[in-house]
Amino acid sequence: MLSLFRFCPLVLVCLVAGAAPLPAPAATASVPTARYWVYLRDKAGMHFEPAQYFSAPARARRLRQHLPAADSTDFPVRPDYVRGVEQASDSVLFVSRWFNAVCCRATPAQVRALRGLPGVMRVEAQTPLVLLPTAKYPAVRMSSPEPLTAAERYLARQQTASLGGQAFQKARLDGHGLRIAIFDVGFNGTDKHPAFQHLFRDKRVVATHDFVRNRESVYGGGSHGTEVLSCIAGRLPDGTPLGLAPQAEFLLARTERMLREVYVEEQDWLAAAEWADRNGADIINSSLGYTNRRYFPEQMNGRSSLVARAAGMAVRKGILVVNAAGNDGDDAEWRTIGTPADGDSVLAVGGIDPDTYLHIEFSSYGPTADRRLKPNVVAFGTVLAATPRGYEQVQGTSFASPLMAGFAACAWQQNRQLTVRQLFEQLQQAGGLYPYFDYAHGYGLPRASVFMSPHQAKIPPQVDFSKKDSLLSVIIRPEAAFLPGFPLPMFTDSVAALTPGEALKAPKLGREAIVGPAPVEAAAAPLPRPTDYLYWHVASAEGVLRRYEVREVRQRVVVQIPLRTLQSGDLVRVWFRGSMLSYLVP
């Protein structure tokens, strides 16, 4: 399993948007320094010309979404304030237009001086650095790829077919006209890999920047970005697409580092987001996440981390942010999503197993710390991707995220007048489970057919509720009580009712209990016998799930819930074969 990459450096090289990097005075050897954010009061007197700063695609994006040509967050930071911070601190590391703030190194005495500067609103300390060595990445030597197996070719087809790729292809939706920024650890070998020849031939990699070394080339460092890009726009030698948006344009940004200095990566993410905004990105794919090396689970609220706030600002600029949910679902110490996937306007993508369409065990669970739904949607967590060695099967929600980013590009191409918030809502509503949801699958695997045929016929309820003998039972209706060649009995030997304690453990049951359906558009791998799944959850009056589970249907009575475990105002929802039925507890 590949975890979300969190690589970091020994030295931060920061880019000031639209300006040359600021000089860094020599460090003070005798007095230790720490990192601080210096937040400034105003941008009074600053002049700004959007037409000179923003690229034509950036200006067009704002116009389409009825956003102003610029606002105060786009204006440059006052240079006199920056000079004051530079003179009073040990070194200036980064200047953010969006947050009107300067990141610097300073001693305790210098911090006191910084707080007294004109224009300084507040000074915030950063957590001490955590430096950890990681694996080194050798130079790329492209070898002749071994012939792909039948199983690998099948997986390559299914990772796009599962999302309705055929419907998008038939409608000639392939990401054309969309600009996607990818933030990652590096794109080792991307410029030489045959999977991307069409991108470089057509000059659709329009800009690159390495925020680790402050240079243009990103074709070094790690190869994770190469794998991620292939899940949006890569191709097999026979032309089979590995992602849904092979005709999109791309901005490639290296924001992750070879040594792990946790907070610096978030600053690089912010710098890359400001750069992507200026260069006209419509979508940011971030297969990255920050968890227990800096934060506690209760801080996954979309507000605590710098990177979550930066993602929220990107959305305000009209950019859809798609982020991997995380790979900690089987980690007993940290099972929840990471940041920036915790942002309320960030589309967090979980993973499912392509063999069974079940929740894949490593995919992180929601909700957020403030009990909001996460993940929002899911896609394959195991894919065939382009790597420096050719093509390989890889795992991680890192790859579910770019599959979803490509899906979003096709959906937006179909209706370019959608605002980013409208697109976000429509992507959720395209989920195969919608309006049902849970904290393993969100709204499920999105379907392209929803965008092609928005007025689809509603499926009548397939289940009924029965309240009897202190139990609330969920019973499959007679007309739905069969699978091809496999009629469902009313009861098998026994029907197990979940106790409150067992129900609360449902998210921990793994792939046997937390599962997802194979969508109609995708031909799932043959199963040994007909299989159907029923989802159910209990939501509080505030809409927070207190329990949820997905059960394999083997009989007509699928679930029996003791009434004593329910509270007044609870809402029991059941999803089965495309329809949902609800029961409000009086």
Side-chain angles (χ1 to χ4, degrees), residues 554-574:
R554 300 186 181 189
Q555 58 186 34
R556 288 188 59 197
V557 179
V558 184
V559 177
Q560 290 187 304
I561 309 170
L563 292 173
R564 60 181 172 77
T565 68
L566 301 175
Q567 302 174 12
S568 177
D570 279 353
L571 189 63
V572 181
R573 293 189 183 99
V574 177

Side-chain angles (χ1 to χ4, degrees), residues 160-179:
T160 56
S162 62
L163 292 163
Q166 300 95 327
F168 280 144
Q169 292 170 14
K170 186 176 180 180
R172 297 184 178 180
L173 298 174
D174 51 16
H176 180 75
L178 275 292
R179 188 165 284 190

